[in-house]
Amino acid sequence: MNFELTHIDTETSARCGCLRTAHGEVRTPIFMPVGTVATVKGVFHRDLSHEVGAEIILGNTYHLYLRPGLKVLEEAGGLHKFSSWDKPILTDSGGYQVFSLSDNRKLTEEGCVFRSHIDGSRHLFTPENVVDIQRIIGADIVMALDECPPGTAEYDYAKKSLGLTQRWLERGVKHFDQTRAKYGYEQAFFPIVQGCVYPDLRRAAAEHAASLSRDGYAIGGLAVGEPAEQMYEMIEVVNAVLPKEKPRYLMGVGTPENLLEGIARGVDMFDCVMPTRNGRNGMLFTSQGVMNMRNQKWAHDFSPIDENGVTFVDKTYSKAYLRHLFASDEMLGAQIASLHNLGFYLWLVREARSHIAQGAFAAWKRDMVKKVSVRI
Amino acid sequence: MNFELTHIDTETSARCGCLRTAHGEVRTPIFMPVGTVATVKGVFHRDLSHEVGAEIILGNTYHLYLRPGLKVLEEAGGLHKFSSWDKPILTDSGGYQVFSLSDNRKLTEEGCVFRSHIDGSRHLFTPENVVDIQRIIGADIVMALDECPPGTAEYDYAKKSLGLTQRWLERGVKHFDQTRAKYGYEQAFFPIVQGCVYPDLRRAAAEHAASLSRDGYAIGGLAVGEPAEQMYEMIEVVNAVLPKEKPRYLMGVGTPENLLEGIARGVDMFDCVMPTRNGRNGMLFTSQGVMNMRNQKWAHDFSPIDENGVTFVDKTYSKAYLRHLFASDEMLGAQIASLHNLGFYLWLVREARSHIAQGAFAAWKRDMVKKVSVRI
């Protein structure tokens, strides 16, 4: 994997780049739609490519490991072939899901024993076997196993947790370097920087991760309950340490405003379930603000869903029609909203790139943060 | 509306035709996807046109009347504009849904009082107001209000019910002829022939309907529990009476086999929720037979969903992938199956047309009936 910085903003820490993977190029800053269990919920891969303009999607190791399972994924020749997606894929390590979804998890130095949220079966994730699993999935970018403490974690717990994450990281790196890709194409390994909301822990974590000289670095454990300002501060602390010439991925973030603030602080990659999950609940993100499509106020509004939208649904369907679909619990509502929201998120990062390249990012971002946060 | 017969089979009663409406031509025999509440569940209108090849879709008066309601539909300029579908639409009269869905329905000579299945509110459908409602919906083809007795109805009940349906039909015709289309384009009115499984009632009903000289005729009250052979017999009885030069629409039917047998007996139009409803449950109809995609047997089958399929999903996704989506309750499974099934149904009627035109229908139909009925 190779990363080239193409533009660096002079007013902020924003940058544009190009990430070259075995499955093609990804221009950064980029948003990665979340394809939890081998599908970005409600969206055909064709539409992800042609309507949304997605350049890379995310898969969840925890979910894929449980369903369809490694045997099927290996027989298929990896997740790309299994799901018919020929562009890059990044997989998380499963750590976050083990802590948020599974029952009876138990953390040890060795790894994490957990019970499946589906059938209660018992499993063990270790820093080594999550690398093996992601080798079988065939992700272009593989993530290290980490512990992701809650946003409210006390300093002592956060420090102890970080120690474990760092020892796991070293084991993961070692195992990754001792193993080979299964399908002939190159995979990259990203450490995850933890440390909760404590600047000294974050700084130490970033220094430790940077010392391992990988192709890119992730910032984990943010947007887990802490105030946004604290998240922004942690991003600044971490990005001051991480090598400038490598991509930085802020995990699980976030709102359009979060993306813009992250980009301004030098983040290159984002993922979040928000555009699809909130979309399924009737929330639309647009360049003019946020709309709740279940609201009665749209019942008689026959104007297009989003005049500035980039996907075909935006001008095909009206607000009144979409509101009717949500009021009637019709699945087409979720499909339209998911496609629209992902289209908007990808539009937002493309616009950010274009303004960074033109040296006009800071003013555009200030204006856009105001617009996207309005409730309309 | 105008209907032209283009080919008449010599071995069976099958025929090809062209139905010209204000929203374009429909070639017959045709299958009409069911767009219950202004949406064919899970399918974008774009994909209905370009992937499925749908030429006309159905809307349900009962559902549309309750949601989004007449005010919204009228403000939108009718259902075509509201749902962004510019091809023909046929609406049923609501009679069937009143009997199958609503609570506390009460039948009188005037009409049918019922309570909404959504909020329990009280409503009245009359032969006249369902015409008014379908004028507001703006359907190209409007259906008469009828009583649809169960498949097990005794003769005496069936005869009494038919009497009411016939009196309602006369009132409906009169009201239709005394009112005008709301949006400037022509609408047609189809009577519905009832009579349960009793040949003399069916014959009398067909004669009565034919005497009213309308643009087309529907056969209702079949596929409601009676054996298929009895349904086929009733179609023969009715079609022997209905005018040859007018289209015949068999309501709510059916399986691929039912379609082929109906076509062989001179039916021109069909609608059914089966491709979408069964699709959402994991059942796929193909030219090689029926597949249950929830079945473990597909878990390791990486061949395309349907080598002979006409929609993009058929060759894009594998059986193993689709099985995984159903096993994981992922909505993309329902989307893929719905699109595939509708594509198959439309392919089937196109093939029927082509074989009728070539004078090769009977042998093709015999062969195809065997194939489509197999469980694979």
Side-chain angles (χ1 to χ4, degrees):
Chain A
M1 211 183 77
N2 161 282
F3 182 64
E4 182 191 356
L5 279 176
T6 53
H7 294 91
I8 296 175
D9 192 39
T10 50
E11 290 180 80
T12 71
S13 297
R15 28 280 197 99
C16 289
C18 181
L19 191 65
R20 294 188 183 86
T21 79
H23 287 91
E25 293 184 356
V26 175
R27 290 162 300 165
T28 62
I30 189 71
F31 177 79
M32 304 182 283
V34 179
T36 312
V37 54
T39 155
V40 175
K41 287 186 197 298
V43 184
F44 290 120
H45 294 83
R46 173 197 66 175
D47 293 339
L48 271 182
S49 286
H50 299 149
E51 295 290 332
V52 170
E55 300 183 29
I56 173 171
I57 64 176
L58 193 121
N60 287 119
T61 290
Y62 171 87
H63 289 287
L64 293 166
Y65 165 79
L66 294 177
R67 281 191 307 214
L70 300 183
K71 190 161 184 293
V72 167
L73 285 167
E74 187 159 12
E75 283 173 7
L79 179 58
H80 291 87
K81 286 188 181 163
F82 182 63
S83 65
S84 310
W85 174 255
D86 61 4
K87 294 191 172 71
I89 294 175
L90 178 150
T91 41
D92 67 6
S93 64
Y96 181 79
Q97 279 75 28
V98 164
F99 294 102
S100 62
L101 286 180
S102 70
D103 302 323
N104 299 325
R105 62 187 182 275
K106 196 182 166 200
L107 215 61
T108 65
E109 187 64 32
E110 186 194 8
C112 186
V113 175
F114 63 95
R115 289 193 181 274
S116 157
H117 73 289
I118 301 165
D119 62 6
S121 56
R122 195 173 168 279
H123 303 272
L124 170 69
F125 274 175
T126 69
E128 290 82 10
N129 77 6
V130 299
V131 167
D132 296 335
I133 293 168
Q134 292 174 88
R135 292 280 195 205
I136 290 170
I137 293 171
D140 296 275
I141 302 174
V142 164
M143 304 298 297
L145 187 67
D146 60 337
E147 190 198 347
C148 183
T152 54
E154 297 292 333
Y155 184 85
D156 286 352
Y157 181 78
K159 188 172 180 181
K160 194 171 151 237
S161 165
L162 177 60
L164 183 66
T165 288
Q166 289 178 321
R167 293 191 297 280
W168 281 1
L169 172 57
E170 287 172 16
R171 283 166 55 191
V173 165
K174 188 175 168 197
H175 190 71
F176 183 84
D177 287 345
Q178 287 172 349
T179 53
R180 297 177 59 180
K182 285 199 79 69
Y183 309 113
Y185 58 81
E186 186 195 16
Q187 298 179 284
F189 181 95
F190 281 20
I192 301 174
V193 173
Q194 290 287 354
C196 297
V197 292
Y198 305 107
D200 65 316
L201 298 184
R202 286 280 172 187
R203 203 171 290 118
E207 281 164 1
H208 175 256
S211 74
L212 298 168
S213 298
R214 310 313 301 182
D215 289 319
Y217 300 90
I219 310 173
L222 292 177
V224 290
E226 80 287 358
E229 284 310 320
Q230 222 165 9
M231 168 168 80
Y232 300 146
E233 187 197 338
M234 292 304 112
I235 297 169
E236 288 171 18
V237 166
V238 170
N239 280 348
V241 176
L242 290 178
K244 295 255 173 298
E245 69 282 8
K246 295 291 171 68
R248 297 115 168 218
Y249 159 36
L250 180 59
M251 302 182 79
V253 174
T255 64
E257 179 174 355
N258 293 157
L259 261 64
L260 294 168
E261 295 296 351
I263 291 169
R265 288 164 176 80
V267 174
D268 305 296
M269 305 164 72
F270 302 86
D271 82 283
C272 192
V273 295
M274 205 173 263
T276 40
R277 181 178 293 168
N278 293 23
R280 290 196 302 281
N281 289 324
M283 184 184 280
L284 253 58
F285 299 99
T286 79
S287 57
Q288 304 304 308
V290 178
M291 301 193 286
N292 177 359
M293 297 314 299
R294 293 186 178 275
N295 200 314
Q296 169 67 23
K297 75 183 276 195
W298 308 115
H300 304 271
D301 186 336
F302 300 101
S303 66
I305 292 173
D306 183 1
E307 278 286 7
N308 304 317
V310 294
T311 69
F312 86 93
V313 296
D314 291 305
K315 293 184 193 71
T316 299
Y317 297 112
S318 69
K319 298 181 180 78
Y321 181 67
L322 184 56
R323 191 260 164 194
H324 160 68
L325 294 178
F326 278 106
S328 307
D329 283 327
E330 280 290 334
M331 63 186 285
L332 192 67
Q335 294 170 237
I336 290 173
S338 298
L339 195 60
H340 162 84
N341 279 348
L342 289 174
F344 171 69
Y345 267 63
L346 267 294
W347 171 86
L348 190 68
V349 293
R350 283 195 302 273
E351 283 291 296
R353 288 201 290 265
S354 145
H355 284 89
I356 295 166
Q358 293 161 31
F361 176 75
W364 172 82
K365 181 222 137 194
R366 267 194 305 276
D367 181 48
M368 193 52 74
V369 161
K370 281 182 211 142
K371 284 183 178 169
V372 297
S373 309
V374 175
R375 294 256 162 185
I376 51 175
Chain B
M1 210 183 76
N2 161 281
F3 183 63
E4 182 191 356
L5 279 176
T6 52
H7 295 91
I8 297 176
D9 192 38
T10 50
E11 291 181 78
T12 70
S13 296
R15 26 332 149 93
C16 287
C18 180
L19 190 65
R20 294 188 183 86
T21 79
H23 288 91
E25 292 184 357
V26 176
R27 290 162 300 165
T28 62
I30 189 72
F31 177 79
M32 304 181 282
V34 178
T36 311
V37 53
T39 155
V40 174
K41 288 186 196 299
V43 184
F44 290 121
H45 295 83
R46 171 198 67 176
D47 293 340
L48 272 182
S49 285
H50 299 149
E51 296 290 331
V52 170
E55 301 182 30
I56 174 171
I57 64 176
L58 193 120
N60 287 120
T61 291
Y62 171 88
H63 289 286
L64 294 165
Y65 164 79
L66 294 176
R67 279 193 306 215
L70 300 183
K71 190 162 183 294
V72 168
L73 285 167
E74 187 159 11
E75 283 173 6
L79 180 58
H80 291 86
K81 287 189 181 164
F82 181 63
S83 65
S84 310
W85 174 255
D86 60 5
K87 293 191 174 69
I89 295 176
L90 178 150
T91 40
D92 68 5
S93 64
Y96 180 79
Q97 280 75 27
V98 164
F99 293 102
S100 63
L101 286 180
S102 70
D103 302 322
N104 298 327
R105 62 186 181 276
K106 197 183 164 201
L107 214 60
T108 65
E109 187 65 33
E110 185 194 8
C112 185
V113 176
F114 62 96
R115 288 191 181 275
S116 157
H117 73 289
I118 302 165
D119 62 6
S121 55
R122 197 173 167 279
H123 303 273
L124 169 70
F125 274 176
T126 68
E128 291 81 11
N129 79 4
V130 298
V131 167
D132 296 335
I133 293 168
Q134 293 174 86
R135 292 282 196 204
I136 290 170
I137 293 172
D140 296 275
I141 301 175
V142 163
M143 305 297 297
L145 186 66
D146 61 338
E147 189 198 346
C148 184
T152 54
E154 297 292 332
Y155 185 86
D156 284 353
Y157 181 78
K159 187 171 178 181
K160 194 169 151 241
S161 165
L162 178 59
L164 182 66
T165 288
Q166 289 178 321
R167 292 190 297 280
W168 281 1
L169 172 56
E170 287 172 17
R171 283 166 53 191
V173 164
K174 187 175 168 197
H175 190 71
F176 183 83
D177 289 344
Q178 286 173 348
T179 53
R180 297 177 59 179
K182 285 199 78 70
Y183 309 114
Y185 57 81
E186 189 196 13
Q187 296 178 287
F189 181 95
F190 281 19
I192 301 175
V193 173
Q194 289 286 356
C196 298
V197 293
Y198 305 106
D200 65 316
L201 297 185
R202 285 280 172 187
R203 203 170 291 117
E207 281 165 1
H208 174 256
S211 74
L212 298 169
S213 300
R214 311 314 301 182
D215 289 320
Y217 300 89
I219 310 175
L222 292 176
V224 289
E226 78 288 358
E229 285 309 320
Q230 221 164 11
M231 168 168 78
Y232 300 146
E233 186 198 337
M234 292 305 110
I235 297 170
E236 288 172 17
V237 166
V238 169
N239 280 350
V241 175
L242 290 177
K244 295 255 173 296
E245 70 280 8
K246 294 294 171 68
R248 297 113 168 221
Y249 158 36
L250 179 58
M251 301 181 80
V253 175
T255 64
E257 179 175 355
N258 293 157
L259 261 63
L260 294 168
E261 296 296 352
I263 291 170
R265 287 164 176 79
V267 173
D268 305 296
M269 305 164 73
F270 302 86
D271 81 284
C272 193
V273 294
M274 205 172 264
T276 40
R277 180 178 294 166
N278 294 22
R280 290 196 302 281
N281 289 323
M283 183 184 282
L284 252 57
F285 299 99
T286 79
S287 57
Q288 304 303 309
V290 178
M291 302 192 286
N292 178 358
M293 297 314 299
R294 293 186 179 276
N295 200 313
Q296 169 67 24
K297 74 184 277 193
W298 308 116
H300 303 272
D301 186 336
F302 300 101
S303 66
I305 292 173
D306 183 2
E307 279 286 6
N308 304 316
V310 295
T311 69
F312 86 93
V313 296
D314 291 305
K315 294 185 192 70
T316 300
Y317 297 113
S318 70
K319 297 181 181 80
Y321 181 67
L322 185 55
R323 192 263 166 192
H324 160 70
L325 294 179
F326 277 107
S328 307
D329 283 328
E330 280 290 335
M331 64 186 283
L332 193 66
Q335 294 171 236
I336 291 173
S338 299
L339 196 59
H340 161 84
N341 279 348
L342 289 175
F344 171 69
Y345 267 63
L346 268 293
W347 172 86
L348 191 67
V349 293
R350 284 196 302 273
E351 283 292 296
R353 287 201 291 265
S354 145
H355 284 88
I356 295 166
Q358 294 160 32
F361 176 73
W364 172 82
K365 181 223 136 194
R366 269 193 304 275
D367 181 48
M368 194 51 77
V369 162
K370 281 182 210 141
K371 285 182 177 167
V372 297
S373 307
V374 175
R375 294 257 162 186
I376 49 175

